[in-house]
Each structure stands twice: as structure tokens, then as C-alpha cells.
Amino acid sequence: MPELPEVQTTVNGVRKYLTGLSIIDAWTDYASKFHANKDNIQNPAFFARFRNEVKGTKITGADRRGKNVLIRLSNGKTILIHMKMTGHVMYGAYEKRANGKESWIATEPGPLRDDPFNKFVHFVLALSNGKAMVLSDMRKFAKVTLIDSNRMDESLHLSTHGPEPLDKKFGVAELKAAVFKKPNGPVKQVLMNHEVISGIGNIYSDEILWRAGVHPLEKIKDISDKKWPVIHKAMKETLKNGIDFGGDSMSDYRNILGERGKFQNRHRAYRRTGEKCSKLGCTGIIKRIKIGGRSGHFCDTHQKLTRGRR
């Protein structure tokens, strides 16, 4: 699932390429009985209203909240896109074809057209410059909805989100205040809880804890006071590195031009099972364990559980 750096990379692309363009029309082939009566374009009745509200509006900017892309419109509404497991937003030249079933195809050579992960187009905004913003979503789990721009934080889609870890006001004290809402939780699970801290998932929690030298099973209450500044610094640095390297494309994430990110080449723990730890002077090996149904990767030497427990 795209995490904070991937979502921010997408937002940066929307700002660069889409700001100032108008939406001519909207299309989707999402249609799920599971989403009946929900404010999600996977509900056909909602999509009809969505389409009417966005047609003719201008894209005025974009933001991020947690793992959500927020595209602001000139009519006071914001399109919210949660890319879920396999979704990613792209922009380019597309045309609609009907070969027994309507589909949208990129028309120019390059990753938009040639990368197989970019071909699962299920949502399209046709734009005033003749190009389109599309959502490729292989597993069809993504969420697209419409919320009031001046009441976003009150939206059911955003109201439970915790603080943003890259916010300038998010210091060590704010980090501790957030995570100590779950004092008995394993630190990896707590970092991944969007109601505690927004935007961190499986990849970046592993990388943060490797950098900080903290075992993923360590309970929040058992982490020493001197470790919290280290975790805070590791969190900021790791997430910023993820953005600087264009996100993580170990799976199917692609940026707005359909290109792969490069953070997967910087992994120190995530999916490095059995490899020697790359920390200078460390002789450990990267291990994999299950934590709450998810995989956790860590060094068996410099990420020890404290107090000799477990």
C-alpha cells in the first residue's frame, strides 16, 4: 500500500501537472454491491452525483492527509483519493476504446503505456488540455470520494487521523503524546496505526525502527526516554528520504508519470530477510517475524528487546 512518501510524491505531481486545468468529464467502471449507499465512486449512484459536481471545475491545488491524496477544486469541494493496496494516480495522453468493454489506454510510448502495472485504469478525469488524470488499481480497492474543502477535518474519511509526522510542529513531545495512547502496543503496530500517527505503513515502520535501533515488538511503555529523540529523528529522516527518492516501487506504486520510485533500493530491513545488516560495525542478520498479521523485518543484533525479556 502506498505510504506517506508515495502519497506525497503523487501530490507533488498533481500540483505540478494538474493545477489550473479544468475537469471536462469523469469516467469509471468501478461498480461494487459492497459499496451500495456509500459515498465512494464504487457506488454508481454516488458516482453520478460526483460526476455532476466535478465537471466544469478547475483544479486549484493538492494536499495530503495521511495516505490520502486531496485535490482541491474551484467549487469548494475536494476530491479525496485513497489508493489502498494497488492504486496509483497518473497523468498523460489517454484515449477511450470500446472493445466489448470501455477502457482507457495511454497513447504515447513510455511507462504509462508500457509498464504492465499502469494498465488497470478504473477512474478517469478528462482535462481541459486534452490529457487525463487516471487511477490504475489492479485489485480495485481504491477509494475516491468528494468532501467539502473547508470542513475536511470533520469528514468521516479524515476525522480520526493522528498527527502528521513531517509537520514542523511534530516534535519529540508530540510523538510521545501520540504513541502513549497505546502504551502496551508493540511499537511497529503503534507506528502503523493511522489514528496514532498518519501515513506510516509496513515499509517505513521497518526502516524507521532499523535506523533507530528499536525492536519492532518493543512495547511503547518499555522504550527508554533517551530513545524517543532517536526514533523521532529516524522517522523524519526516513520519510523525507522516501520522498526524495520518489517513493517505493518494490510492489506496484508508480508516480504521476507512471515511473518507478527508487526508495526500494535503499531498504535496510524491509524484505531483506537473511541478509547481513548494513549498519556500520554491526554483525547482525535481518530476521522476519509476524506482528499482528503483518511481517516485520529487523536486525537480530542492534535491535534487541530491552531488559532481557521474551
Side-chain angles (χ1 to χ4, degrees):
M1 177 185 292
E3 302 180 32
L4 186 157
E6 291 75 56
V7 178
Q8 187 61 54
T9 299
T10 297
V11 166
N12 293 345
V14 172
R15 288 173 177 166
K16 180 176 180 178
Y17 292 103
L18 274 66
T19 300
L21 298 177
S22 296
I23 298 172
I24 303 302
D25 205 352
W27 173 93
T28 190
D29 65 353
Y30 283 122
S32 169
K33 293 180 180 179
F34 176 78
H35 291 278
N37 301 316
K38 294 183 180 180
D39 59 340
N40 185 332
I41 66 165
Q42 300 217 32
N43 168 14
F46 177 81
F47 176 70
R49 298 193 298 272
F50 173 97
R51 183 183 181 210
N52 286 334
E53 290 206 55
V54 304
K55 283 176 65 175
T57 63
K58 181 178 288 188
I59 295 171
T60 60
D63 296 294
R64 180 191 56 78
R65 184 71 172 99
K67 298 176 184 178
N68 298 279
V69 177
L70 304 172
I71 302 174
R72 297 194 307 273
L73 305 178
S74 57
N75 65 350
K77 298 288 186 177
T78 290
I79 298 172
L80 180 151
I81 302 174
H82 193 305
M83 298 184 283
K84 299 290 185 179
M85 295 296 294
T86 61
H88 51 279
V89 172
M90 299 179 296
Y91 163 79
Y94 283 80
E95 67 179 18
K96 184 164 63 173
R97 296 179 182 176
N99 298 320
K101 181 181 178 182
E102 284 188 342
S103 61
W104 287 74
I105 308 295
T107 60
E108 298 175 351
L112 289 177
R113 190 192 69 179
D114 302 331
D115 187 326
F117 284 108
N118 293 338
K119 296 182 179 182
F120 302 93
V121 174
H122 296 297
F123 171 64
V124 176
L125 294 178
L127 302 169
S128 55
N129 65 348
K131 295 188 177 184
M133 188 202 86
V134 309
L135 175 64
S136 179
D137 181 17
M138 181 171 64
R139 297 182 66 181
K140 300 182 75 171
F141 289 159
K143 174 175 67 177
V144 182
T145 190
L146 199 62
I147 58 179
D148 292 330
S149 299
N150 61 356
R151 302 181 64 183
M152 285 195 294
D153 289 340
E154 301 171 29
S155 163
L156 292 176
H157 303 282
L158 299 175
S159 61
T160 61
H161 279 58
E164 290 287 340
L166 291 183
D167 192 308
K168 292 181 180 179
K169 297 179 180 179
F170 187 76
V172 176
E174 287 72 24
L175 170 61
K176 291 182 68 176
V179 298
F180 270 90
K181 294 176 181 177
K182 305 283 185 181
N184 293 306
V187 61
K188 177 178 170 69
Q189 280 186 288
V190 175
L191 291 180
M192 291 172 60
N193 186 331
H194 81 272
E195 295 184 1
V196 176
I197 299 174
S198 289
I200 298 173
N202 214 28
I203 297 172
Y204 292 94
S205 58
D206 278 352
E207 295 300 309
I208 289 166
L209 294 174
W210 179 90
R211 187 183 287 250
V214 176
H215 195 287
L217 285 176
E218 194 74 71
K219 291 184 178 180
I220 295 296
K221 67 180 183 181
D222 293 331
I223 297 174
S224 67
D225 285 344
K226 67 181 181 181
K227 264 294 181 185
W228 288 110
V230 180
I231 296 172
H232 179 264
K233 181 181 179 183
M235 181 180 294
K236 297 273 191 180
E237 290 178 347
T238 303
L239 295 173
K240 287 177 180 177
N241 281 346
I243 296 169
D244 289 343
F245 283 92
D248 194 296
S249 292
M250 175 163 274
S251 184
D252 49 14
Y253 172 75
R254 303 292 185 267
N255 69 17
I256 200 146
L257 299 180
E259 302 163 337
R260 294 168 59 90
K262 297 180 180 179
F263 187 73
Q264 67 275 8
N265 301 324
R266 309 283 295 182
H267 289 178
R268 297 295 179 260
Y270 183 71
R271 293 194 181 180
R272 295 287 189 186
T273 307
E275 297 184 18
K276 292 181 179 180
C277 180
S278 60
K279 182 178 175 65
L280 186 64
C282 183
T283 59
I285 300 295
I286 302 300
K287 302 291 187 179
R288 176 179 175 270
I289 55 174
K290 283 288 188 179
I291 306 173
R294 305 294 296 275
S295 294
H297 305 82
F298 68 101
C299 171
D300 63 2
T301 299
H302 85 273
Q303 289 177 262
K304 293 288 190 183
L305 282 165
T306 61
R307 301 181 187 176
R309 298 187 321 279
R310 301 179 290 278

PDB file of all heavy atoms in Angstrom, residues 2 11 20 27 41 49 62 72 77 81 94 97 108 111 119 137 139 149 158 166 182 190 194 215 236 238 258 277:
ATOM      1  N   PRO A   2       0.595   2.205  -0.888  1.00  0.00           N
ATOM      2  CA  PRO A   2       1.355   3.460  -0.842  1.00  0.00           C
ATOM      3  C   PRO A   2       1.278   4.099   0.548  1.00  0.00           C
ATOM      4  O   PRO A   2       0.209   4.175   1.153  1.00  0.00           O
ATOM      5  CB  PRO A   2       0.649   4.320  -1.898  1.00  0.00           C
ATOM      6  CG  PRO A   2       0.052   3.333  -2.845  1.00  0.00           C
ATOM      7  CD  PRO A   2      -0.372   2.178  -1.989  1.00  0.00           C
ATOM      8  N   VAL A  11       1.064  13.716  -4.744  1.00  0.00           N
ATOM      9  CA  VAL A  11       0.551  15.077  -4.546  1.00  0.00           C
ATOM     10  C   VAL A  11       1.458  16.091  -5.234  1.00  0.00           C
ATOM     11  O   VAL A  11       0.976  17.030  -5.894  1.00  0.00           O
ATOM     12  CB  VAL A  11       0.405  15.380  -3.041  1.00  0.00           C
ATOM     13  CG1 VAL A  11       0.200  16.877  -2.793  1.00  0.00           C
ATOM     14  CG2 VAL A  11      -0.756  14.587  -2.448  1.00  0.00           C
ATOM     15  N   GLY A  20      -4.565  24.323 -12.238  1.00  0.00           N
ATOM     16  CA  GLY A  20      -5.004  25.273 -13.253  1.00  0.00           C
ATOM     17  C   GLY A  20      -5.806  24.657 -14.377  1.00  0.00           C
ATOM     18  O   GLY A  20      -6.447  25.382 -15.157  1.00  0.00           O
ATOM     19  N   TRP A  27     -15.091   9.518 -15.586  1.00  0.00           N
ATOM     20  CA  TRP A  27     -15.491   8.176 -16.013  1.00  0.00           C
ATOM     21  C   TRP A  27     -15.006   7.161 -15.002  1.00  0.00           C
ATOM     22  O   TRP A  27     -13.938   7.339 -14.389  1.00  0.00           O
ATOM     23  CB  TRP A  27     -14.870   7.871 -17.371  1.00  0.00           C
ATOM     24  CG  TRP A  27     -15.059   6.447 -17.852  1.00  0.00           C
ATOM     25  CD1 TRP A  27     -16.050   5.971 -18.648  1.00  0.00           C
ATOM     26  CD2 TRP A  27     -14.197   5.320 -17.577  1.00  0.00           C
ATOM     27  NE1 TRP A  27     -15.869   4.614 -18.881  1.00  0.00           N
ATOM     28  CE2 TRP A  27     -14.733   4.190 -18.232  1.00  0.00           C
ATOM     29  CE3 TRP A  27     -13.024   5.159 -16.830  1.00  0.00           C
ATOM     30  CZ2 TRP A  27     -14.153   2.926 -18.160  1.00  0.00           C
ATOM     31  CZ3 TRP A  27     -12.434   3.899 -16.749  1.00  0.00           C
ATOM     32  CH2 TRP A  27     -12.993   2.806 -17.418  1.00  0.00           C
ATOM     33  N   ILE A  41     -17.004   6.383  -5.260  1.00  0.00           N
ATOM     34  CA  ILE A  41     -17.395   6.211  -6.660  1.00  0.00           C
ATOM     35  C   ILE A  41     -17.600   4.749  -7.050  1.00  0.00           C
ATOM     36  O   ILE A  41     -18.105   4.467  -8.129  1.00  0.00           O
ATOM     37  CB  ILE A  41     -16.396   6.868  -7.631  1.00  0.00           C
ATOM     38  CG1 ILE A  41     -15.022   6.168  -7.583  1.00  0.00           C
ATOM     39  CG2 ILE A  41     -16.271   8.361  -7.367  1.00  0.00           C
ATOM     40  CD1 ILE A  41     -14.131   6.531  -8.736  1.00  0.00           C
ATOM     41  N   ARG A  49     -23.542  11.540  -8.936  1.00  0.00           N
ATOM     42  CA  ARG A  49     -23.518  12.852  -8.267  1.00  0.00           C
ATOM     43  C   ARG A  49     -22.113  13.448  -8.314  1.00  0.00           C
ATOM     44  O   ARG A  49     -21.947  14.655  -8.540  1.00  0.00           O
ATOM     45  CB  ARG A  49     -23.982  12.709  -6.815  1.00  0.00           C
ATOM     46  CG  ARG A  49     -25.418  12.198  -6.675  1.00  0.00           C
ATOM     47  CD  ARG A  49     -25.935  12.383  -5.261  1.00  0.00           C
ATOM     48  NE  ARG A  49     -25.170  11.634  -4.276  1.00  0.00           N
ATOM     49  CZ  ARG A  49     -25.428  10.378  -3.925  1.00  0.00           C
ATOM     50  NH1 ARG A  49     -26.424   9.707  -4.518  1.00  0.00           N
ATOM     51  NH2 ARG A  49     -24.707   9.766  -3.012  1.00  0.00           N
ATOM     52  N   ALA A  62      -3.348  20.798  -4.516  1.00  0.00           N
ATOM     53  CA  ALA A  62      -3.414  19.451  -3.953  1.00  0.00           C
ATOM     54  C   ALA A  62      -2.675  19.415  -2.623  1.00  0.00           C
ATOM     55  O   ALA A  62      -1.710  20.152  -2.405  1.00  0.00           O
ATOM     56  CB  ALA A  62      -2.821  18.431  -4.920  1.00  0.00           C
ATOM     57  N   ARG A  72      -7.924  19.813  -4.608  1.00  0.00           N
ATOM     58  CA  ARG A  72      -8.868  20.908  -4.362  1.00  0.00           C
ATOM     59  C   ARG A  72      -9.451  21.434  -5.668  1.00  0.00           C
ATOM     60  O   ARG A  72      -8.742  21.600  -6.665  1.00  0.00           O
ATOM     61  CB  ARG A  72      -8.170  22.042  -3.609  1.00  0.00           C
ATOM     62  CG  ARG A  72      -7.667  21.643  -2.222  1.00  0.00           C
ATOM     63  CD  ARG A  72      -7.312  22.866  -1.400  1.00  0.00           C
ATOM     64  NE  ARG A  72      -6.385  23.747  -2.099  1.00  0.00           N
ATOM     65  CZ  ARG A  72      -5.075  23.634  -2.062  1.00  0.00           C
ATOM     66  NH1 ARG A  72      -4.517  22.652  -1.380  1.00  0.00           N
ATOM     67  NH2 ARG A  72      -4.309  24.483  -2.708  1.00  0.00           N
ATOM     68  N   LYS A  77     -15.067  22.126  -3.280  1.00  0.00           N
ATOM     69  CA  LYS A  77     -15.024  20.701  -2.991  1.00  0.00           C
ATOM     70  C   LYS A  77     -13.588  20.180  -3.152  1.00  0.00           C
ATOM     71  O   LYS A  77     -12.752  20.799  -3.823  1.00  0.00           O
ATOM     72  CB  LYS A  77     -15.936  19.916  -3.927  1.00  0.00           C
ATOM     73  CG  LYS A  77     -17.413  20.282  -3.812  1.00  0.00           C
ATOM     74  CD  LYS A  77     -18.015  19.775  -2.524  1.00  0.00           C
ATOM     75  CE  LYS A  77     -19.526  20.011  -2.475  1.00  0.00           C
ATOM     76  NZ  LYS A  77     -20.129  19.453  -1.251  1.00  0.00           N
ATOM     77  N   ILE A  81      -8.668  10.827  -2.679  1.00  0.00           N
ATOM     78  CA  ILE A  81      -8.299   9.529  -3.246  1.00  0.00           C
ATOM     79  C   ILE A  81      -7.422   8.786  -2.246  1.00  0.00           C
ATOM     80  O   ILE A  81      -6.360   9.273  -1.860  1.00  0.00           O
ATOM     81  CB  ILE A  81      -7.538   9.675  -4.577  1.00  0.00           C
ATOM     82  CG1 ILE A  81      -8.365  10.458  -5.607  1.00  0.00           C
ATOM     83  CG2 ILE A  81      -7.150   8.298  -5.125  1.00  0.00           C
ATOM     84  CD1 ILE A  81      -7.617  10.763  -6.887  1.00  0.00           C
ATOM     85  N   TYR A  94      -4.411   9.945 -22.983  1.00  0.00           N
ATOM     86  CA  TYR A  94      -5.190   8.704 -22.970  1.00  0.00           C
ATOM     87  C   TYR A  94      -6.327   8.815 -23.969  1.00  0.00           C
ATOM     88  O   TYR A  94      -6.820   9.915 -24.265  1.00  0.00           O
ATOM     89  CB  TYR A  94      -5.781   8.436 -21.576  1.00  0.00           C
ATOM     90  CG  TYR A  94      -4.784   7.910 -20.573  1.00  0.00           C
ATOM     91  CD1 TYR A  94      -3.906   8.776 -19.912  1.00  0.00           C
ATOM     92  CD2 TYR A  94      -4.705   6.551 -20.278  1.00  0.00           C
ATOM     93  CE1 TYR A  94      -2.986   8.298 -18.997  1.00  0.00           C
ATOM     94  CE2 TYR A  94      -3.792   6.058 -19.363  1.00  0.00           C
ATOM     95  CZ  TYR A  94      -2.929   6.932 -18.725  1.00  0.00           C
ATOM     96  OH  TYR A  94      -2.020   6.454 -17.819  1.00  0.00           O
ATOM     97  N   ARG A  97     -11.362   3.444 -25.510  1.00  0.00           N
ATOM     98  CA  ARG A  97     -11.643   2.464 -26.548  1.00  0.00           C
ATOM     99  C   ARG A  97     -12.791   1.569 -26.092  1.00  0.00           C
ATOM    100  O   ARG A  97     -13.003   1.380 -24.897  1.00  0.00           O
ATOM    101  CB  ARG A  97     -10.399   1.620 -26.829  1.00  0.00           C
ATOM    102  CG  ARG A  97      -9.239   2.432 -27.384  1.00  0.00           C
ATOM    103  CD  ARG A  97      -8.015   1.572 -27.638  1.00  0.00           C
ATOM    104  NE  ARG A  97      -6.896   2.364 -28.136  1.00  0.00           N
ATOM    105  CZ  ARG A  97      -5.675   1.869 -28.365  1.00  0.00           C
ATOM    106  NH1 ARG A  97      -5.436   0.597 -28.123  1.00  0.00           N
ATOM    107  NH2 ARG A  97      -4.708   2.650 -28.823  1.00  0.00           N
ATOM    108  N   GLU A 108       0.847   7.301 -25.796  1.00  0.00           N
ATOM    109  CA  GLU A 108       2.234   7.635 -26.123  1.00  0.00           C
ATOM    110  C   GLU A 108       3.185   6.600 -25.541  1.00  0.00           C
ATOM    111  O   GLU A 108       2.948   6.062 -24.463  1.00  0.00           O
ATOM    112  CB  GLU A 108       2.584   9.023 -25.577  1.00  0.00           C
ATOM    113  CG  GLU A 108       1.729  10.144 -26.177  1.00  0.00           C
ATOM    114  CD  GLU A 108       2.012  11.491 -25.530  1.00  0.00           C
ATOM    115  OE1 GLU A 108       2.740  11.520 -24.523  1.00  0.00           O
ATOM    116  OE2 GLU A 108       1.499  12.494 -26.043  1.00  0.00           O
ATOM    117  N   PRO A 111       6.438   4.647 -19.936  1.00  0.00           N
ATOM    118  CA  PRO A 111       5.921   3.822 -18.835  1.00  0.00           C
ATOM    119  C   PRO A 111       4.399   3.840 -18.697  1.00  0.00           C
ATOM    120  O   PRO A 111       3.814   2.835 -18.298  1.00  0.00           O
ATOM    121  CB  PRO A 111       6.606   4.399 -17.589  1.00  0.00           C
ATOM    122  CG  PRO A 111       7.119   5.745 -18.007  1.00  0.00           C
ATOM    123  CD  PRO A 111       7.398   5.655 -19.463  1.00  0.00           C
ATOM    124  N   LYS A 119      -1.754  -0.390 -16.374  1.00  0.00           N
ATOM    125  CA  LYS A 119      -2.814  -0.651 -17.356  1.00  0.00           C
ATOM    126  C   LYS A 119      -4.183  -0.938 -16.743  1.00  0.00           C
ATOM    127  O   LYS A 119      -5.143  -1.174 -17.479  1.00  0.00           O
ATOM    128  CB  LYS A 119      -2.388  -1.817 -18.253  1.00  0.00           C
ATOM    129  CG  LYS A 119      -1.146  -1.498 -19.082  1.00  0.00           C
ATOM    130  CD  LYS A 119      -0.760  -2.635 -20.008  1.00  0.00           C
ATOM    131  CE  LYS A 119       0.463  -2.262 -20.835  1.00  0.00           C
ATOM    132  NZ  LYS A 119       0.840  -3.344 -21.795  1.00  0.00           N
ATOM    133  N   ASP A 137      -5.559   0.648 -10.761  1.00  0.00           N
ATOM    134  CA  ASP A 137      -5.849  -0.028  -9.493  1.00  0.00           C
ATOM    135  C   ASP A 137      -6.133  -1.504  -9.779  1.00  0.00           C
ATOM    136  O   ASP A 137      -7.274  -1.903  -9.995  1.00  0.00           O
ATOM    137  CB  ASP A 137      -7.053   0.646  -8.824  1.00  0.00           C
ATOM    138  CG  ASP A 137      -7.421   0.023  -7.489  1.00  0.00           C
ATOM    139  OD1 ASP A 137      -6.595  -0.692  -6.909  1.00  0.00           O
ATOM    140  OD2 ASP A 137      -8.557   0.274  -7.035  1.00  0.00           O
ATOM    141  N   ARG A 139      -6.277  -4.268  -8.033  1.00  0.00           N
ATOM    142  CA  ARG A 139      -7.179  -5.043  -7.189  1.00  0.00           C
ATOM    143  C   ARG A 139      -8.523  -4.348  -6.925  1.00  0.00           C
ATOM    144  O   ARG A 139      -9.375  -4.885  -6.249  1.00  0.00           O
ATOM    145  CB  ARG A 139      -6.487  -5.381  -5.866  1.00  0.00           C
ATOM    146  CG  ARG A 139      -5.249  -6.256  -6.070  1.00  0.00           C
ATOM    147  CD  ARG A 139      -4.582  -6.642  -4.772  1.00  0.00           C
ATOM    148  NE  ARG A 139      -5.424  -7.514  -3.958  1.00  0.00           N
ATOM    149  CZ  ARG A 139      -5.071  -7.974  -2.762  1.00  0.00           C
ATOM    150  NH1 ARG A 139      -3.885  -7.634  -2.246  1.00  0.00           N
ATOM    151  NH2 ARG A 139      -5.866  -8.768  -2.077  1.00  0.00           N
ATOM    152  N   SER A 149     -14.175  21.306   1.099  1.00  0.00           N
ATOM    153  CA  SER A 149     -12.799  21.737   1.342  1.00  0.00           C
ATOM    154  C   SER A 149     -12.630  22.428   2.689  1.00  0.00           C
ATOM    155  O   SER A 149     -11.591  22.259   3.350  1.00  0.00           O
ATOM    156  CB  SER A 149     -12.340  22.683   0.222  1.00  0.00           C
ATOM    157  OG  SER A 149     -12.361  22.035  -1.029  1.00  0.00           O
ATOM    158  N   LEU A 158     -11.457  11.533   7.292  1.00  0.00           N
ATOM    159  CA  LEU A 158     -10.221  12.107   7.818  1.00  0.00           C
ATOM    160  C   LEU A 158     -10.254  12.401   9.313  1.00  0.00           C
ATOM    161  O   LEU A 158      -9.200  12.659   9.906  1.00  0.00           O
ATOM    162  CB  LEU A 158      -9.902  13.415   7.071  1.00  0.00           C
ATOM    163  CG  LEU A 158      -9.679  13.318   5.567  1.00  0.00           C
ATOM    164  CD1 LEU A 158      -9.492  14.715   4.977  1.00  0.00           C
ATOM    165  CD2 LEU A 158      -8.491  12.432   5.237  1.00  0.00           C
ATOM    166  N   LEU A 166       5.632  14.612   9.550  1.00  0.00           N
ATOM    167  CA  LEU A 166       6.547  15.589   8.952  1.00  0.00           C
ATOM    168  C   LEU A 166       6.135  17.034   9.224  1.00  0.00           C
ATOM    169  O   LEU A 166       6.781  17.958   8.722  1.00  0.00           O
ATOM    170  CB  LEU A 166       6.668  15.350   7.440  1.00  0.00           C
ATOM    171  CG  LEU A 166       7.390  14.063   7.037  1.00  0.00           C
ATOM    172  CD1 LEU A 166       7.523  13.974   5.521  1.00  0.00           C
ATOM    173  CD2 LEU A 166       8.768  13.958   7.695  1.00  0.00           C
ATOM    174  N   LYS A 182      -1.267   4.222  23.232  1.00  0.00           N
ATOM    175  CA  LYS A 182      -1.233   2.762  23.118  1.00  0.00           C
ATOM    176  C   LYS A 182       0.002   2.230  23.860  1.00  0.00           C
ATOM    177  O   LYS A 182       0.885   1.628  23.258  1.00  0.00           O
ATOM    178  CB  LYS A 182      -1.165   2.338  21.650  1.00  0.00           C
ATOM    179  CG  LYS A 182      -2.264   2.899  20.763  1.00  0.00           C
ATOM    180  CD  LYS A 182      -3.576   2.162  20.971  1.00  0.00           C
ATOM    181  CE  LYS A 182      -4.636   2.656  19.993  1.00  0.00           C
ATOM    182  NZ  LYS A 182      -5.932   1.961  20.206  1.00  0.00           N
ATOM    183  N   VAL A 190       1.977   0.259  16.599  1.00  0.00           N
ATOM    184  CA  VAL A 190       1.514   1.592  17.011  1.00  0.00           C
ATOM    185  C   VAL A 190       1.883   2.626  15.956  1.00  0.00           C
ATOM    186  O   VAL A 190       1.067   3.490  15.604  1.00  0.00           O
ATOM    187  CB  VAL A 190       2.097   1.960  18.388  1.00  0.00           C
ATOM    188  CG1 VAL A 190       1.726   3.400  18.761  1.00  0.00           C
ATOM    189  CG2 VAL A 190       1.582   0.992  19.455  1.00  0.00           C
ATOM    190  N   HIS A 194      -3.093   4.612  11.966  1.00  0.00           N
ATOM    191  CA  HIS A 194      -3.311   5.971  11.435  1.00  0.00           C
ATOM    192  C   HIS A 194      -4.011   6.878  12.434  1.00  0.00           C
ATOM    193  O   HIS A 194      -3.960   8.103  12.289  1.00  0.00           O
ATOM    194  CB  HIS A 194      -4.102   5.907  10.121  1.00  0.00           C
ATOM    195  CG  HIS A 194      -5.577   5.751  10.295  1.00  0.00           C
ATOM    196  ND1 HIS A 194      -6.196   4.525  10.402  1.00  0.00           N
ATOM    197  CD2 HIS A 194      -6.566   6.670  10.411  1.00  0.00           C
ATOM    198  CE1 HIS A 194      -7.493   4.696  10.552  1.00  0.00           C
ATOM    199  NE2 HIS A 194      -7.753   5.985  10.564  1.00  0.00           N
ATOM    200  N   HIS A 215      13.606  -2.703  18.538  1.00  0.00           N
ATOM    201  CA  HIS A 215      12.956  -3.951  18.118  1.00  0.00           C
ATOM    202  C   HIS A 215      11.486  -3.680  17.828  1.00  0.00           C
ATOM    203  O   HIS A 215      10.812  -2.977  18.586  1.00  0.00           O
ATOM    204  CB  HIS A 215      13.085  -5.004  19.226  1.00  0.00           C
ATOM    205  CG  HIS A 215      12.789  -6.399  18.782  1.00  0.00           C
ATOM    206  ND1 HIS A 215      11.511  -6.842  18.510  1.00  0.00           N
ATOM    207  CD2 HIS A 215      13.621  -7.460  18.558  1.00  0.00           C
ATOM    208  CE1 HIS A 215      11.559  -8.117  18.152  1.00  0.00           C
ATOM    209  NE2 HIS A 215      12.821  -8.519  18.172  1.00  0.00           N
ATOM    210  N   LYS A 236      11.663  11.203  10.883  1.00  0.00           N
ATOM    211  CA  LYS A 236      11.746  12.353   9.975  1.00  0.00           C
ATOM    212  C   LYS A 236      12.680  12.048   8.800  1.00  0.00           C
ATOM    213  O   LYS A 236      12.341  12.298   7.636  1.00  0.00           O
ATOM    214  CB  LYS A 236      12.257  13.578  10.735  1.00  0.00           C
ATOM    215  CG  LYS A 236      11.358  14.070  11.867  1.00  0.00           C
ATOM    216  CD  LYS A 236      10.306  15.029  11.392  1.00  0.00           C
ATOM    217  CE  LYS A 236       9.603  15.722  12.551  1.00  0.00           C
ATOM    218  NZ  LYS A 236       8.569  16.668  12.119  1.00  0.00           N
ATOM    219  N   THR A 238      13.794   9.123   7.590  1.00  0.00           N
ATOM    220  CA  THR A 238      13.366   8.022   6.729  1.00  0.00           C
ATOM    221  C   THR A 238      12.242   8.455   5.791  1.00  0.00           C
ATOM    222  O   THR A 238      12.264   8.165   4.586  1.00  0.00           O
ATOM    223  CB  THR A 238      12.921   6.820   7.575  1.00  0.00           C
ATOM    224  OG1 THR A 238      13.987   6.412   8.430  1.00  0.00           O
ATOM    225  CG2 THR A 238      12.501   5.660   6.697  1.00  0.00           C
ATOM    226  N   GLY A 258       3.867   7.610 -14.310  1.00  0.00           N
ATOM    227  CA  GLY A 258       3.922   6.167 -14.477  1.00  0.00           C
ATOM    228  C   GLY A 258       5.282   5.563 -14.218  1.00  0.00           C
ATOM    229  O   GLY A 258       5.523   4.395 -14.526  1.00  0.00           O
ATOM    230  N   CYS A 277      23.219  -7.333   8.166  1.00  0.00           N
ATOM    231  CA  CYS A 277      22.817  -5.960   8.487  1.00  0.00           C
ATOM    232  C   CYS A 277      23.833  -4.984   7.898  1.00  0.00           C
ATOM    233  O   CYS A 277      25.050  -5.198   7.991  1.00  0.00           O
ATOM    234  CB  CYS A 277      22.722  -5.779   9.996  1.00  0.00           C
ATOM    235  SG  CYS A 277      22.241  -4.105  10.506  1.00  0.00           S
TER     236      CYS A 277
END
